[in-house]
Short mmCIF file of all heavy atoms in Angstrom, two decimals:
data_model
loop_
_atom_site.label_atom_id
_atom_site.label_comp_id
_atom_site.label_asym_id
_atom_site.label_seq_id
_atom_site.Cartn_x
_atom_site.Cartn_y
_atom_site.Cartn_z
N ALA R 413 106.54 92.68 89.97
CA ALA R 413 106.11 92.01 88.74
C ALA R 413 105.28 90.77 89.08
O ALA R 413 105.59 90.05 90.02
CB ALA R 413 107.33 91.60 87.92
N GLY R 414 104.22 90.56 88.31
CA GLY R 414 103.41 89.36 88.48
C GLY R 414 102.20 89.54 89.37
O GLY R 414 101.66 88.57 89.88
N LEU R 415 101.75 90.77 89.54
CA LEU R 415 100.53 91.01 90.30
C LEU R 415 99.34 90.53 89.48
O LEU R 415 99.31 90.70 88.26
CB LEU R 415 100.36 92.51 90.58
CG LEU R 415 101.49 93.19 91.35
CD1 LEU R 415 101.34 94.70 91.27
CD2 LEU R 415 101.50 92.74 92.79
N THR R 416 98.36 89.93 90.14
CA THR R 416 97.11 89.56 89.46
C THR R 416 95.95 90.05 90.31
O THR R 416 96.12 90.45 91.45
CB THR R 416 96.99 88.04 89.24
OG1 THR R 416 97.01 87.38 90.51
CG2 THR R 416 98.09 87.50 88.35
N ALA R 417 94.77 89.99 89.76
CA ALA R 417 93.59 90.54 90.42
C ALA R 417 93.30 89.85 91.76
O ALA R 417 92.84 90.50 92.69
CB ALA R 417 92.38 90.42 89.50
N ASN R 418 93.53 88.58 91.86
CA ASN R 418 93.11 87.85 93.06
C ASN R 418 94.25 87.37 93.95
O ASN R 418 94.00 86.76 94.98
CB ASN R 418 92.28 86.63 92.64
CG ASN R 418 91.03 87.04 91.90
OD1 ASN R 418 90.44 88.06 92.21
ND2 ASN R 418 90.64 86.25 90.91
N GLN R 419 95.49 87.63 93.56
CA GLN R 419 96.63 87.13 94.33
C GLN R 419 97.71 88.18 94.34
O GLN R 419 97.80 89.00 93.43
CB GLN R 419 97.21 85.86 93.69
CG GLN R 419 96.24 84.73 93.57
CD GLN R 419 96.85 83.58 92.77
OE1 GLN R 419 97.82 83.74 92.05
NE2 GLN R 419 96.27 82.41 92.91
N TYR R 420 98.54 88.15 95.39
CA TYR R 420 99.70 89.05 95.37
C TYR R 420 100.80 88.34 94.60
O TYR R 420 101.04 88.65 93.47
CB TYR R 420 100.13 89.46 96.78
CG TYR R 420 101.19 90.53 96.73
CD1 TYR R 420 100.87 91.82 96.33
CD2 TYR R 420 102.51 90.24 97.00
CE1 TYR R 420 101.84 92.80 96.23
CE2 TYR R 420 103.47 91.22 96.91
CZ TYR R 420 103.15 92.49 96.53
OH TYR R 420 104.10 93.46 96.43
N GLY R 421 101.46 87.39 95.17
CA GLY R 421 102.41 86.55 94.46
C GLY R 421 103.41 87.23 93.56
O GLY R 421 103.88 86.65 92.60
N ALA R 422 103.73 88.48 93.81
CA ALA R 422 104.62 89.23 92.93
C ALA R 422 106.08 88.93 93.24
O ALA R 422 106.44 88.57 94.35
CB ALA R 422 104.37 90.73 93.09
N THR R 423 106.90 89.12 92.22
CA THR R 423 108.34 89.13 92.39
C THR R 423 108.74 90.59 92.57
O THR R 423 108.38 91.43 91.76
CB THR R 423 109.04 88.55 91.15
OG1 THR R 423 108.59 87.21 90.96
CG2 THR R 423 110.55 88.59 91.28
N ILE R 424 109.46 90.87 93.64
CA ILE R 424 109.84 92.26 93.94
C ILE R 424 111.33 92.43 93.70
O ILE R 424 112.15 91.66 94.21
CB ILE R 424 109.48 92.63 95.38
CG1 ILE R 424 107.97 92.48 95.58
CG2 ILE R 424 109.93 94.06 95.70
CD1 ILE R 424 107.51 92.62 97.00
N VAL R 425 111.66 93.44 92.91
CA VAL R 425 113.05 93.77 92.59
C VAL R 425 113.26 95.23 92.95
O VAL R 425 112.42 96.07 92.65
CB VAL R 425 113.33 93.57 91.08
CG1 VAL R 425 114.75 93.96 90.73
CG2 VAL R 425 113.04 92.14 90.66
N THR R 426 114.39 95.53 93.61
CA THR R 426 114.71 96.93 93.91
C THR R 426 116.10 97.25 93.38
O THR R 426 116.98 96.39 93.32
CB THR R 426 114.68 97.22 95.42
OG1 THR R 426 115.63 96.38 96.08
CG2 THR R 426 113.31 96.97 96.01
N SER R 427 116.27 98.50 93.01
CA SER R 427 117.59 98.97 92.57
C SER R 427 118.38 99.38 93.79
O SER R 427 117.85 99.44 94.90
CB SER R 427 117.43 100.18 91.65
OG SER R 427 116.97 101.30 92.40
N GLY R 428 119.61 99.71 93.57
CA GLY R 428 120.40 100.34 94.62
C GLY R 428 120.03 101.81 94.72
O GLY R 428 119.33 102.34 93.86
N PRO R 429 120.49 102.48 95.78
CA PRO R 429 120.18 103.90 95.93
C PRO R 429 120.84 104.75 94.86
O PRO R 429 121.95 104.45 94.41
CB PRO R 429 120.71 104.25 97.32
CG PRO R 429 121.57 103.12 97.74
CD PRO R 429 121.27 101.95 96.89
N MET R 430 120.12 105.79 94.43
CA MET R 430 120.62 106.69 93.40
C MET R 430 119.87 108.01 93.54
O MET R 430 118.92 108.11 94.32
CB MET R 430 120.42 106.09 92.01
CG MET R 430 118.97 105.80 91.67
SD MET R 430 118.74 104.90 90.12
CE MET R 430 119.20 103.25 90.60
N ASP R 431 120.28 109.01 92.78
CA ASP R 431 119.55 110.28 92.82
C ASP R 431 118.25 110.14 92.02
O ASP R 431 118.05 109.19 91.28
CB ASP R 431 120.41 111.44 92.30
CG ASP R 431 120.81 111.26 90.84
OD1 ASP R 431 119.92 111.34 89.97
OD2 ASP R 431 122.01 111.03 90.57
N ALA R 432 117.34 111.10 92.21
CA ALA R 432 116.01 111.03 91.60
C ALA R 432 116.07 110.97 90.08
O ALA R 432 115.34 110.20 89.45
CB ALA R 432 115.17 112.21 92.06
N ASP R 433 116.93 111.78 89.46
CA ASP R 433 117.02 111.78 88.01
C ASP R 433 117.49 110.43 87.46
O ASP R 433 116.97 109.95 86.45
CB ASP R 433 117.95 112.89 87.52
CG ASP R 433 117.36 114.28 87.72
OD1 ASP R 433 116.12 114.40 87.85
OD2 ASP R 433 118.14 115.25 87.75
N SER R 434 118.45 109.82 88.14
CA SER R 434 118.92 108.50 87.71
C SER R 434 117.84 107.45 87.87
O SER R 434 117.68 106.57 87.01
CB SER R 434 120.16 108.09 88.51
OG SER R 434 121.22 108.98 88.26
N ALA R 435 117.07 107.52 88.95
CA ALA R 435 115.98 106.58 89.17
C ALA R 435 114.92 106.72 88.08
O ALA R 435 114.44 105.72 87.53
CB ALA R 435 115.37 106.79 90.55
N ARG R 436 114.58 107.95 87.75
CA ARG R 436 113.58 108.18 86.69
C ARG R 436 114.10 107.71 85.33
O ARG R 436 113.34 107.17 84.51
CB ARG R 436 113.18 109.64 86.66
CG ARG R 436 112.35 110.03 87.86
CD ARG R 436 111.91 111.48 87.85
NE ARG R 436 111.19 111.78 89.06
CZ ARG R 436 111.62 112.60 90.02
NH1 ARG R 436 112.77 113.23 89.89
NH2 ARG R 436 110.90 112.79 91.10
N ALA R 437 115.38 107.89 85.08
CA ALA R 437 115.98 107.42 83.82
C ALA R 437 115.94 105.89 83.75
O ALA R 437 115.65 105.32 82.70
CB ALA R 437 117.41 107.93 83.69
N LEU R 438 116.21 105.23 84.88
CA LEU R 438 116.15 103.77 84.92
C LEU R 438 114.72 103.30 84.63
O LEU R 438 114.52 102.35 83.86
CB LEU R 438 116.63 103.25 86.27
CG LEU R 438 116.53 101.74 86.48
CD1 LEU R 438 117.28 100.97 85.40
CD2 LEU R 438 117.04 101.37 87.88
N VAL R 439 113.73 103.95 85.21
CA VAL R 439 112.34 103.59 84.94
C VAL R 439 112.04 103.75 83.45
O VAL R 439 111.40 102.89 82.83
CB VAL R 439 111.36 104.42 85.81
CG1 VAL R 439 109.93 104.26 85.32
CG2 VAL R 439 111.48 104.01 87.27
N GLY R 440 112.50 104.84 82.86
CA GLY R 440 112.31 105.04 81.42
C GLY R 440 112.91 103.93 80.60
O GLY R 440 112.31 103.45 79.63
N ASP R 441 114.11 103.49 80.98
CA ASP R 441 114.76 102.38 80.27
C ASP R 441 113.97 101.08 80.43
O ASP R 441 113.82 100.31 79.47
CB ASP R 441 116.19 102.17 80.79
CG ASP R 441 117.15 103.23 80.31
OD1 ASP R 441 116.83 103.97 79.34
OD2 ASP R 441 118.25 103.33 80.91
N VAL R 442 113.45 100.83 81.63
CA VAL R 442 112.65 99.62 81.85
C VAL R 442 111.39 99.66 80.99
O VAL R 442 111.07 98.69 80.30
CB VAL R 442 112.29 99.48 83.35
CG1 VAL R 442 111.23 98.41 83.56
CG2 VAL R 442 113.54 99.15 84.18
N LEU R 443 110.69 100.79 81.01
CA LEU R 443 109.45 100.90 80.24
C LEU R 443 109.69 100.82 78.74
O LEU R 443 108.82 100.36 77.99
CB LEU R 443 108.72 102.20 80.60
CG LEU R 443 108.18 102.27 82.03
CD1 LEU R 443 107.61 103.64 82.30
CD2 LEU R 443 107.14 101.18 82.28
N ALA R 444 110.86 101.25 78.29
CA ALA R 444 111.19 101.20 76.86
C ALA R 444 111.72 99.83 76.44
O ALA R 444 112.02 99.62 75.26
CB ALA R 444 112.23 102.28 76.54
N GLY R 445 111.84 98.90 77.39
CA GLY R 445 112.30 97.56 77.06
C GLY R 445 113.80 97.41 76.97
O GLY R 445 114.30 96.42 76.45
N ARG R 446 114.54 98.40 77.47
CA ARG R 446 116.00 98.34 77.40
C ARG R 446 116.64 97.68 78.62
O ARG R 446 117.86 97.62 78.71
CB ARG R 446 116.56 99.76 77.23
CG ARG R 446 116.21 100.39 75.88
CD ARG R 446 116.93 101.69 75.66
NE ARG R 446 116.48 102.74 76.55
CZ ARG R 446 115.52 103.61 76.27
NH1 ARG R 446 114.89 103.56 75.11
NH2 ARG R 446 115.18 104.54 77.14
N LYS R 447 115.83 97.18 79.55
CA LYS R 447 116.35 96.53 80.75
C LYS R 447 115.66 95.19 80.98
O LYS R 447 115.13 94.92 82.04
CB LYS R 447 116.14 97.44 81.97
CG LYS R 447 116.98 98.69 81.97
CD LYS R 447 118.42 98.33 82.21
CE LYS R 447 119.29 99.57 82.30
NZ LYS R 447 120.67 99.25 82.54
N GLU R 448 115.67 94.34 79.96
CA GLU R 448 115.01 93.04 80.09
C GLU R 448 115.67 92.16 81.14
O GLU R 448 115.05 91.20 81.60
CB GLU R 448 114.94 92.33 78.74
CG GLU R 448 113.94 92.96 77.81
CD GLU R 448 113.65 92.12 76.59
OE1 GLU R 448 114.23 91.02 76.45
OE2 GLU R 448 112.82 92.56 75.79
N ASP R 449 116.90 92.47 81.53
CA ASP R 449 117.54 91.72 82.60
C ASP R 449 116.90 92.04 83.95
O ASP R 449 117.01 91.28 84.90
CB ASP R 449 119.05 92.01 82.65
CG ASP R 449 119.36 93.48 82.82
OD1 ASP R 449 118.69 94.32 82.16
OD2 ASP R 449 120.26 93.82 83.60
N VAL R 450 116.18 93.16 84.04
CA VAL R 450 115.49 93.55 85.27
C VAL R 450 114.06 93.02 85.23
O VAL R 450 113.61 92.34 86.14
CB VAL R 450 115.50 95.09 85.44
CG1 VAL R 450 114.70 95.51 86.65
CG2 VAL R 450 116.93 95.60 85.51
N VAL R 451 113.32 93.38 84.19
CA VAL R 451 111.95 92.88 83.99
C VAL R 451 111.61 93.00 82.51
O VAL R 451 112.02 93.96 81.86
CB VAL R 451 110.92 93.64 84.87
CG1 VAL R 451 110.81 95.08 84.48
CG2 VAL R 451 109.56 92.97 84.84
N ARG R 452 110.90 92.01 82.00
CA ARG R 452 110.51 92.05 80.59
C ARG R 452 109.11 92.64 80.48
O ARG R 452 108.17 92.17 81.11
CB ARG R 452 110.51 90.64 80.00
CG ARG R 452 110.25 90.65 78.52
CD ARG R 452 110.18 89.24 77.93
NE ARG R 452 109.88 89.28 76.53
CZ ARG R 452 108.69 89.54 76.01
NH1 ARG R 452 107.68 89.83 76.78
NH2 ARG R 452 108.51 89.54 74.70
N ILE R 453 108.98 93.68 79.68
CA ILE R 453 107.70 94.31 79.42
C ILE R 453 107.25 93.90 78.02
O ILE R 453 107.97 94.13 77.04
CB ILE R 453 107.80 95.86 79.49
CG1 ILE R 453 108.36 96.31 80.84
CG2 ILE R 453 106.45 96.51 79.19
CD1 ILE R 453 107.51 96.02 82.02
N SER R 454 106.10 93.28 77.92
CA SER R 454 105.58 92.84 76.63
C SER R 454 105.33 94.05 75.74
O SER R 454 104.81 95.07 76.21
CB SER R 454 104.27 92.08 76.85
OG SER R 454 103.66 91.79 75.64
N PRO R 455 105.68 93.98 74.45
CA PRO R 455 105.47 95.12 73.56
C PRO R 455 104.00 95.52 73.41
O PRO R 455 103.70 96.66 73.10
CB PRO R 455 106.02 94.65 72.22
CG PRO R 455 106.70 93.36 72.45
CD PRO R 455 106.33 92.86 73.80
N ASP R 456 103.07 94.59 73.65
CA ASP R 456 101.66 94.92 73.53
C ASP R 456 101.01 95.30 74.87
O ASP R 456 99.81 95.48 74.95
CB ASP R 456 100.89 93.78 72.86
CG ASP R 456 100.99 92.48 73.63
OD1 ASP R 456 101.90 92.34 74.46
OD2 ASP R 456 100.15 91.59 73.39
N ALA R 457 101.81 95.46 75.89
CA ALA R 457 101.29 95.85 77.21
C ALA R 457 100.88 97.32 77.20
O ALA R 457 101.44 98.13 76.46
CB ALA R 457 102.35 95.62 78.28
N GLN R 458 99.92 97.63 78.03
CA GLN R 458 99.50 99.02 78.20
C GLN R 458 100.19 99.57 79.44
O GLN R 458 100.18 98.94 80.50
CB GLN R 458 97.99 99.10 78.38
CG GLN R 458 97.48 100.51 78.56
CD GLN R 458 95.97 100.55 78.73
OE1 GLN R 458 95.35 99.58 79.11
NE2 GLN R 458 95.41 101.71 78.46
N VAL R 459 100.81 100.75 79.31
CA VAL R 459 101.49 101.39 80.43
C VAL R 459 100.65 102.57 80.88
O VAL R 459 100.28 103.42 80.07
CB VAL R 459 102.91 101.86 80.05
CG1 VAL R 459 103.58 102.57 81.22
CG2 VAL R 459 103.75 100.68 79.58
N VAL R 460 100.36 102.61 82.18
CA VAL R 460 99.54 103.67 82.76
C VAL R 460 100.37 104.40 83.79
O VAL R 460 100.95 103.78 84.68
CB VAL R 460 98.28 103.08 83.44
CG1 VAL R 460 97.43 104.17 84.06
CG2 VAL R 460 97.48 102.25 82.45
#
């Protein structure tokens, strides 16, 4: 989180190990805004 065009300066967060389906479900929760304790995604952000 926090990548910009001219600087790295990101905050890196990793989960614990899990199976692929659980990891994909966690990503879905993050993108849907259900895991703001992990990272906050602005509602007007574009997801690619």
Side-chain angles (χ1 to χ4, degrees):
L415 302 167
T416 60
N418 298 325
Q419 301 173 341
Y420 188 72
T423 300
I424 300 172
V425 178
T426 60
S427 70
M430 60 187 76
D431 62 69
D433 290 338
S434 296
R436 290 181 183 112
L438 176 56
V439 168
D441 286 344
V442 168
L443 293 174
R446 293 188 292 267
K447 292 289 184 180
E448 287 192 359
D449 57 317
V450 176
V451 65
R452 186 183 178 285
I453 304 295
S454 172
D456 59 342
Q458 180 180 22
V459 178
V460 179

